[in-house]
Amino acid sequence: MSVGVLIVAHYRLGEEMLQALRLIVPDGPPMAAVGIAPNQAVDDMHTAIASGLDEVDRGQGVLVLTDMFGGTPSNMALSFLGERRLEVVTGLNLPMLIKLATLQEDMPLEKLAPFIEGYGQRNISVASALLPDRGGKAG
Amino acid sequence: MSEVEGRFVVASELGLHARPAGEFVRIASGVDGDVEISRGGEWMNGKSVLSILSLAASQGTEVHIRVSGPDAEAVLTALAALVERPHDPA
């Protein structure tokens, strides 16, 4: 995958998500995470995100995944729109990361962002509905 | 191009959870052909972690695996060993 992936989220949420990802997919493409702490100066946040973008950008843009629309990590990431080639997708979950880490097709950023948004949404489930004794598809 | 298949019982008390599912995909991705897995219903893509997890294959579940490709036999043997492994490696 030639598009870079950067997580921007509260505290160590992004780092921990990457750690869980590496347990399941140890040999996936490099991704990075930036943690945002309360009371952190805006300039510090901006610098940390810029550094993260530089780290993962391989010339094809960066997909930024944030934990929640409207949160500071998301708002700070959005401040780079127009300045850098990036898309921000909010509401990160582990299935999205696994999909990105195992993606065979090399999608451009503009196609990858809506694809992964839909993928993340489809992988939120009432789990009992998937179980075979409840008539779910696993049966 | 050969195709082989077999039925195997999930041995781990944690079931076919995320880590072995990741291992399954790494083995399956090495074959130049298709790998599919089912538990009697829909066939799932054996090269997708989330598809394997959606089987919700707990301990004692019988899964059906079919592999096509030049190394199908060896890949099926490796996948069977993973499914029938009682514990995850440390």
Side-chain angles (χ1 to χ4, degrees):
Chain A
M1 188 172 63
S2 48
V3 171
V5 176
L6 178 70
I7 302 174
V8 183
H10 290 88
Y11 291 106
R12 291 186 47 81
L13 198 50
E15 289 91 332
E16 300 296 338
M17 291 282 269
L18 285 181
Q19 194 173 353
L21 171 68
R22 294 303 174 218
L23 182 68
I24 302 162
V25 187
D27 49 2
M31 299 178 186
V34 172
I36 301 296
N39 305 322
Q40 191 175 348
V42 170
D43 284 351
D44 287 350
M45 295 182 212
H46 196 271
T47 302
I49 295 171
S51 171
L53 291 170
D54 289 340
E55 183 184 335
V56 299
D57 195 348
R58 294 184 291 277
Q60 300 300 312
V62 178
L63 178 65
V64 179
L65 302 169
T66 71
D67 47 1
M68 182 176 67
F69 183 81
T72 301
S74 201
N75 293 341
M76 288 301 301
L78 284 167
S79 72
F80 285 85
L81 278 176
E83 183 181 317
R84 307 276 296 241
R85 184 178 172 197
L86 61 86
E87 288 287 354
V88 179
V89 175
T90 65
L92 167 68
N93 59 31
L94 194 54
M96 293 161 76
L97 286 183
I98 293 172
K99 189 63 183 176
L100 287 167
T102 56
L103 206 56
Q104 303 293 319
E105 189 186 346
D106 197 15
M107 290 187 207
L109 177 61
E110 294 70 22
K111 189 175 167 190
L112 184 62
F115 168 78
I116 210 66
E117 174 200 26
Y119 191 84
Q121 289 170 347
R122 286 195 302 280
N123 280 282
I124 296 171
S125 310
V126 177
S128 60
L130 299 177
L131 297 176
D133 61 353
R134 307 287 185 97
K137 67 176 182 177
Chain B
M1 182 79 75
S2 61
E3 181 173 306
V4 291
E5 58 182 80
R7 294 175 186 275
F8 311 97
V9 175
V10 176
S12 168
E13 64 178 351
L14 297 175
L16 201 48
H17 65 100
R19 189 140 53 108
E23 272 187 75
F24 192 105
V25 168
R26 281 195 294 288
I27 296 168
S29 297
V31 70
D32 189 18
D34 293 329
V35 177
E36 294 174 295
I37 181 169
S38 100
R39 53 176 296 173
E42 190 182 346
W43 283 99
M44 297 293 180
N45 179 4
K47 298 184 180 184
S48 162
V49 175
L50 274 300
S51 293
I52 295 169
L53 292 179
S54 73
L55 291 170
S58 55
Q59 186 180 38
T61 301
E62 185 183 71
V63 293
H64 193 173
I65 301 171
R66 74 182 172 204
V67 182
S68 65
D71 299 321
E73 193 75 51
V75 169
L76 183 66
T77 301
L79 294 174
L82 189 154
V83 169
E84 294 179 331
R85 191 175 67 196
H87 302 290
D88 290 330

